[in-house]
Amino acid sequence: MTARGYRRVRGSSAAGASILAAAFSLAAFSLATPALAASGTATSPSVPALTPWPASVEQGQGTLLVASGSAIAIPAGDADAAAAAKLLADHVKRASGLVLAAAESASPAAPVRFERDAGIAGAEAYRLRITPKGAVISASAKSGFVYGAMTLLQLLTPHAGADGKAVSVPVLTIQDSPRFSWRGVMVDPSRHFQPIESVYAIVDRMVEVKLNTLHFHLADDQGWRFEVKRYPELTRIGAWRLPPDTGGGPGPKHGGFYTQEQLKALVAYAAERGITVVPEIDLPGHAQALVASYPEFGVLGDRPAVSHDWGVNPWLFNPNDAGMTFVRNVLDELMAVFPSQFIHVGGDEAVKDQWERSPEVQSQMRKLGIKTENEMQSWMIDRFGEYLAQHGRRLIGWDEILEGGLPASASVMSWRGEQGAVDAANAGHDVVLSPAPNLYLDNLESTLPDEAPGRISIQTMEAVYRYDPMPKGIDAAKAKHVLGVQGNAWSEYIVTPWQLQHKLFPRVGAIAETAWSPQVAGEKDYPGFLARLTPQIRRWKQGGFEVSDSAFGVAFTPTQTRGAQLEATRIGMSLGNQAAYGTIRYTLDGKEPGAKSPAYARPLAVKPGTVVTAASFAPDGTRLSAPRRYDTARETLLTSTASMLAACPRGAQGLRVPLSADATSNGPAYNVNIFDTCQADDHAPLAHAKSITVSVARLPRNYGLAHDASALIGHIAVTTHGELVISAGCRAAEKAADRKQKEHAPMPGATVLAAFPLPDPETSPQQFTFTANLPDRPELKDEADVCFQFTSPLSDPFYAVEKVVYGEKVK
């Protein structure tokens, strides 16, 4: 999958490179206008704050008062209603401290009642009727009870804080059912293992917004996470890997796996909440952990290590009789644990080099009358689909399974844009829309400098919210084949539960609304959605759950050039947030802003040395974002951090990476172009600089590039381990240079400011600094572009700039 490793970074179109090149420019940040930032935008107070928005809401007059100790009546012997009532009570208590007591009763006087109604069509449909005398949730099936309970949860907990006070609920009638049957999130514990407890936490938050599918990616090159009792080496060997080396030898092993008992318990827990867990075992590619465990099921007989490289690796599964039997045995155990209708078998990013070079596979293809390796994959997928169908299950795979001809039994999850879904649906196959980059939640959400590592194809919450999973190319008569929509969180840069939660939430709220709510004619109401989502964000945060504030975090944009700031008596800046929502409040004394701090209304002009601290606040006065700071001290203005740097002329920054592959901290993080290790400071204050100090980090070069390895740009090293070459005017020089000059010089024609030999990776620290006095070049002015080109061998780790400090005095 082009978004699965490094290829996800590069995108699927030529336009992607130019978008990524500008992604971390402050100018690319969507700023709120001062008026909007000051006033905020919200739906009418009479509109219930419900996410996702129901199919039908009829509002009445009056309210229902629900106090602590109120009863929940459930029909005698109705286990489904009892489970939903318990779920409601548990979530209400956690969110507000309000205690509800469920008991079997037919009493019409109970403030909350569950009733089974066979006339409600659809297993996930429900009716919620609230009168001044009580709230009644009616459904014909278990999931309907659960979703009715979650809607009432939102009405009962409109505010943050576990104070246990009584709440007034508006009188209304809701008739509700989902737009799509597949409303999913994919979690990938293969690259970085997630403790089972963190998955439970995700399930608890999914149900509150009526998501119903957890796609669990359990096997890949970097780890096999599903216990197979018949093949114990899969977890004894395949569940563990060494980290990539950045010099001085590798660190401790990373890994883990889930026992079948753990997974059965998770499946049962999710099912109680209306959530189906769909497992994925990826074949025939992404099989390096499998082949490391059982080389006899590989192609050429070698035994690789479990991979620590993100991207596309060459090891494939062997589709001979022994290999096919192995997969059927694994599927038997998988089906015994996961009762889901669908079983995901991957099928993505399988480069066929090993099959092309294998006499055995080529012989098998001739015997089967198969002409191409893609057709061979299609044959293999079809056999798996037939086997699953014999057991009452259905196969689903990534859209590459279309390439050799789609087997009749297969459904498609379309990730390489929408074309796979269009082709498959028009051919009569069921599809799930999960396109990159639109719904790849491992992409960064904003350009804020404190964003955790991920892919730099910014997917804002608004972009996720506005995506519609019904491609125009699908014939109207075939629209029924669109099962639904799913957001994916690949874990190359998701190491901790905190990071997983940060990537998923609150953007899954946007996916939930798209997946559940009726299709909207015309423009969606994004400000209205934010107003309804804000209370849900507060519920998600209960108990310390991490929810990203990237959409609301304040960004600072200077109104003067860098040189002008250094010479000014007043420094100007504008403030805004990505969502253009809420009120921005600020302080100038270093203290955190509160609900009574000044509201931002127009660009500020402050004395040099002032620290501006700002945060966004909701219309009700609660804080939407953590405070961010802008320091106007002279030393800060003379410093460029990693997030301020752009790509050099020959590439685009596609990744924001940590210091090590398995780093558990969110920083430091570096924006890099892994194909050419060069970064540019486009606003260098060279007219004020007499010296330069560059902080450098050595990073793991752990990328499986497969057929794209030829895109790497190598440079001739003139010292043992390569150099850091710092040049000014590199963008103009790049345009003027000819091809031969580009092949031999790091920055042909640019003004060289400094050059440093890189230290031996085996004996030097991972982070270090270089300092040099700058040459006296009067023609170099402020806002000059300066490039930092590393020429280390492509076989070694690569380097990135962490920070640049321009000194006003000679060192």
Side-chain angles (χ1 to χ4, degrees), residues 94-393:
R94 182 177 68 193
S96 71
L98 196 67
V99 177
L100 305 178
E104 290 190 357
S105 171
S107 170
V112 180
R113 302 195 302 280
F114 284 78
E115 295 180 353
R116 190 172 288 273
D117 184 346
I120 294 178
E124 296 184 309
Y126 68 92
R127 179 177 63 246
L128 172 60
R129 180 174 292 137
I130 298 175
T131 71
K133 295 183 178 180
V136 180
I137 297 170
S138 304
S140 61
K142 180 177 181 178
S143 291
F145 282 133
V146 168
Y147 298 136
M150 292 299 98
T151 296
L152 184 55
L153 160 72
Q154 295 187 14
L155 294 169
L156 288 171
T157 57
H159 306 295
D163 53 24
K165 294 180 180 177
V167 61
S168 293
V169 183
V171 168
L172 48 75
T173 298
I174 293 175
Q175 305 272 359
D176 206 8
S177 59
R179 179 186 179 193
F180 292 112
S181 62
W182 188 302
R183 306 181 301 279
V185 170
M186 191 219 71
V187 173
D188 166 27
S190 292
R191 276 51 179 241
H192 283 108
F193 182 71
Q194 288 288 326
I196 194 73
E197 295 79 12
S198 72
V199 186
Y200 277 89
I202 298 296
V203 167
D204 275 335
R205 275 70 183 189
M206 287 174 62
V207 66
E208 291 187 352
V209 289
K210 304 180 178 65
L211 294 167
N212 71 347
T213 304
L214 175 63
H215 174 179
F216 214 16
H217 185 81
L218 289 169
D220 214 294
D221 295 312
Q222 298 81 12
W224 186 286
R225 308 301 182 203
F226 172 65
E227 177 193 31
V228 182
K229 296 183 184 295
R230 186 161 182 167
Y231 300 106
E233 300 294 271
L234 288 172
T235 48
R236 190 184 73 82
I237 295 175
W240 306 92
R241 61 168 172 79
L242 288 171
D245 188 7
T246 56
K253 284 187 174 182
H254 174 90
F257 65 93
Y258 308 111
T259 67
Q260 293 192 9
E261 288 69 28
Q262 284 178 311
L263 291 170
K264 286 177 181 178
L266 174 67
V267 166
Y269 186 87
E272 289 176 357
R273 289 149 180 79
I275 294 172
T276 298
V277 183
V278 174
E280 179 185 356
I281 300 296
D282 204 348
L283 294 168
H286 289 290
Q288 190 166 335
L290 185 165
V291 180
S293 305
Y294 289 96
E296 60 267 38
F297 299 129
V299 177
L300 296 176
D302 64 327
R303 184 173 210 152
V306 178
S307 180
H308 52 47
D309 293 342
W310 317 141
V312 181
N313 297 306
W315 279 272
L316 299 181
F317 154 78
N318 192 330
N320 60 14
D321 289 344
M324 298 298 284
T325 298
F326 162 81
V327 174
R328 287 191 289 268
N329 291 337
V330 170
L331 290 175
D332 286 344
E333 296 195 33
L334 201 70
M335 288 186 286
V337 172
F338 297 94
S340 57
Q341 180 187 25
F342 285 96
I343 302 292
H344 205 300
V345 298
D348 62 301
E349 293 183 328
V351 290
K352 305 301 192 301
D353 304 67
Q354 286 196 338
W355 282 4
E356 291 170 359
R357 301 175 194 184
S358 167
E360 181 184 14
V361 174
Q362 293 299 311
S363 175
Q364 184 180 7
M365 289 171 58
R366 287 191 295 271
K367 290 176 182 178
L368 292 169
I370 291 173
K371 296 181 180 179
T372 70
E373 286 72 24
N374 283 341
E375 290 174 0
M376 185 66 190
Q377 176 169 305
S378 181
W379 173 88
M380 182 201 76
I381 294 293
D382 201 18
R383 302 290 82 72
F384 296 157
E386 290 173 353
Y387 189 73
L388 290 171
Q390 292 168 12
H391 292 78
R393 308 298 186 92

Side-chain angles (χ1 to χ4, degrees), residues 493-511:
Y493 307 101
I494 299 175
V495 183
T496 65
W498 187 100
Q499 291 169 343
L500 177 60
Q501 295 164 12
H502 181 90
K503 293 294 187 184
L504 291 177
F505 296 88
R507 286 182 291 179
V508 295
I511 292 174

Side-chain angles (χ1 to χ4, degrees), residues 650-671:
R650 301 187 213 180
Q653 293 186 128
L655 292 173
R656 182 171 175 82
V657 301
L659 185 62
S660 64
D662 303 323
T664 56
S665 62
N666 298 321
Y670 309 87
N671 306 327

Side-chain angles (χ1 to χ4, degrees), residues 624-663:
L624 290 171
S625 69
R628 266 78 172 183
R629 292 173 172 80
Y630 188 86
D631 187 352
T632 64
R634 193 166 190 85
E635 182 180 352
T636 304
L637 297 177
L638 287 163
T639 300
S640 297
T641 60
S643 294
M644 296 168 64
L645 303 180
C648 287
R650 301 187 213 180
Q653 293 186 128
L655 292 173
R656 182 171 175 82
V657 301
L659 185 62
S660 64
D662 303 323

Side-chain angles (χ1 to χ4, degrees), residues 54-67:
S56 170
V57 179
E58 295 181 10
Q59 294 184 261
Q61 298 294 320
T63 59
L64 165 68
L65 185 68
V66 179

